[in-house]
Amino acid sequence: ETDDDFWSLYCKAVQPDGSNIFGRNLEALWDAVSAGGPGWPGPCQIELMNVDEFAKRNPRLYAGLQRIAKDLPESSCVHIVLTKSLM
């Protein structure tokens, strides 16, 4: 529901390196996935499914996640996929 809820779920589901010092914000996520900073998930694909409601409740966070997903180079070991509902 909130940004804090998202970051808690990220840390619980992904179990990233350095989660205890991960900044839990978009800048920290960019540092983690682009440069291996705290919060680095390791090589993986992070997929957020059925994001329609999430995007409505958290438009700033959703836009930031879209930007990060788009800006990651194809050669990156981390890929972020945001999938909207099929309905």
Side-chain angles (χ1 to χ4, degrees):
E1 299 259 339
T2 68
D3 287 12
D4 287 339
D5 293 334
F6 173 81
W7 296 117
S8 293
L9 180 60
Y10 171 79
C11 287
K12 182 178 179 184
V14 177
Q15 298 180 347
D17 290 344
S19 64
N20 58 326
I21 57 172
F22 174 57
R24 296 180 181 227
N25 58 57
L26 290 167
E27 293 80 15
L29 181 64
W30 174 253
D31 290 345
V33 298
S34 68
W40 165 247
C44 67
Q45 177 168 301
I46 300 169
E47 187 168 357
L48 287 85
M49 301 176 67
N50 301 321
V51 298
D52 300 2
E53 284 301 313
F54 174 79
K56 289 178 191 172
R57 287 192 307 264
N58 306 81
R60 187 193 65 76
L61 179 56
Y62 179 71
L65 292 170
Q66 283 184 306
R67 186 185 72 249
I68 289 171
K70 180 180 71 68
D71 290 350
L72 280 172
E74 294 220 9
S75 61
S76 175
C77 296
V78 178
H79 301 280
I80 299 174
V81 178
L82 305 168
T83 306
K84 293 199 173 209
S85 168
L86 297 177
M87 297 188 153

